[in-house]
Amino acid sequence: MLRRLDDLAAHLATRGDVVGVLGLGSAGAEHNRFDEHSDLDFFVVVDDAAAKQRYLDDLGWLNAPAPVAYSFANDRNGRKALYADGVFCEYAIFTPEEVRQLPFTGARVVWARADAELTGAPVGLTVPFDTVEFHLNEALTNLYVGLHRELRGEKLTAARFVQSYAVDRVLALARLTDPRAYQRDVFDPSRRVELAYAPDEVPLAAMVPGYGRTFEAAEVTFAWLRERFEVHPVIAGAIGELLETRARGASAPGPAR
């Protein structure tokens, strides 16, 4: 897993417009907690805005060490991606000026040019895309990561990913595809949602059954998403394998954070 990031950095080091590669999260300074359920979070820092756009548009560099089977833009600066061999990553592309304004800590310099200055500073939060594609794929990857955490034994964080974060995306999808006239709270989408959608439309009781019932929740939310939207077969297959893993009583088949 971490070798994949090293291989990516080695490839990017051969390109003249890349300033450096930073590992974040469990791929960052605290990589001692990285395990088979982790994913790769990283920044690629490039010379300027023109180079940034090239790396956002052309994923040839991401495919250099191994083929990417699934990816989507989850932010104006980057993407989430699943390699064909199961390595899951989330990355963003920034210029040096942008990096200096980013709120991040615990970064690890995987590779950097001798002249690189890769320090950050706290700024405001980034607003995500508000589209069906974004919320659908966020929900799917929330399920994927949450099921891995459940299989690892991290039941509380698993419940949050599956029964909170993914359900937030379900509510956003419902809002975008079937808006209802009710007193919506723009700061908290979970407020008064029961007044808008009947239990057979958005089965919240089954989607949020509680601690220790994450697999049951994931099955319901996954089915809800597949019934209403076109789900990419790669992420659908990966989630399906995790749900089957629990039935078999085996260990998880692939990585996630």
Side-chain angles (χ1 to χ4, degrees), residues 26-170:
S26 57
E30 299 179 356
H31 60 275
N32 58 301
R33 60 185 176 87
F34 201 96
D35 64 16
E36 70 273 20
H37 297 289
S38 298
D39 64 24
L40 297 177
D41 292 313
F42 61 94
F43 291 162
V44 177
V45 185
V46 297
D47 277 332
D48 51 35
K52 172 176 178 172
Q53 196 59 52
R54 288 195 298 273
Y55 282 89
L56 289 172
D57 293 340
D58 182 0
L59 302 186
W61 63 272
L62 190 63
N63 282 275
V68 173
Y70 162 80
S71 73
F72 77 101
N74 73 310
D75 182 89
R76 62 177 57 88
N77 299 302
R79 304 176 71 86
K80 290 183 179 181
L82 183 63
Y83 282 93
D85 61 5
V87 175
F88 183 64
C89 66
E90 180 176 357
Y91 68 87
I93 314 293
F94 295 111
T95 65
E97 292 75 18
E98 289 172 329
V99 166
R100 285 192 284 271
Q101 301 178 63
L102 290 176
F104 66 89
T105 59
R108 176 174 63 94
V109 178
V110 184
W111 173 83
R113 288 193 324 216
D115 62 342
E117 295 183 9
L118 304 176
T119 57
V123 295
L125 297 176
T126 302
V127 178
F129 299 149
D130 188 26
T131 65
V132 169
E133 181 185 17
F134 171 79
H135 293 298
L136 171 61
N137 286 288
E138 274 293 312
L140 292 166
T141 50
N142 288 157
L143 296 179
Y144 179 81
V145 171
L147 287 170
H148 268 291
R149 293 192 176 183
E150 179 74 12
L151 288 166
R152 182 191 274 158
E154 295 181 52
K155 294 183 179 297
L156 179 57
T157 183
R160 286 176 174 170
F161 266 80
V162 172
Q163 302 186 48
S164 179
Y165 306 157
V167 173
D168 286 344
R169 305 280 72 80
V170 164

Side-chain angles (χ1 to χ4, degrees), residues 2 8 31 64-65 93 103 122 128 131 144 186-187 192 206 211 218 224 226 251:
L2 287 174
L8 270 172
H31 60 275
I93 314 293
T131 65
Y144 179 81
V186 297
F187 298 105
R192 297 178 286 275
Y211 181 87
W224 190 92
R226 296 186 75 181
S251 59

Side-chain angles (χ1 to χ4, degrees), residues 151-229:
L151 288 166
R152 182 191 274 158
E154 295 181 52
K155 294 183 179 297
L156 179 57
T157 183
R160 286 176 174 170
F161 266 80
V162 172
Q163 302 186 48
S164 179
Y165 306 157
V167 173
D168 286 344
R169 305 280 72 80
V170 164
L171 298 181
L173 288 166
R175 169 177 55 81
L176 289 173
T177 60
D178 187 14
R180 304 291 176 90
Y182 72 103
Q183 198 172 20
R184 190 185 308 278
D185 188 329
V186 297
F187 298 105
D188 183 359
S190 65
R191 296 289 304 276
R192 297 178 286 275
V193 68
E194 294 87 350
L195 300 178
Y197 301 100
D200 60 338
E201 295 173 312
V202 181
L204 293 173
M207 289 178 172
V208 192
Y211 181 87
R213 299 186 62 189
T214 290
F215 270 92
E216 294 93 326
E219 289 173 346
V220 173
T221 299
F222 188 42
W224 190 92
L225 294 169
R226 296 186 75 181
E227 287 170 4
R228 291 162 176 80
F229 304 96

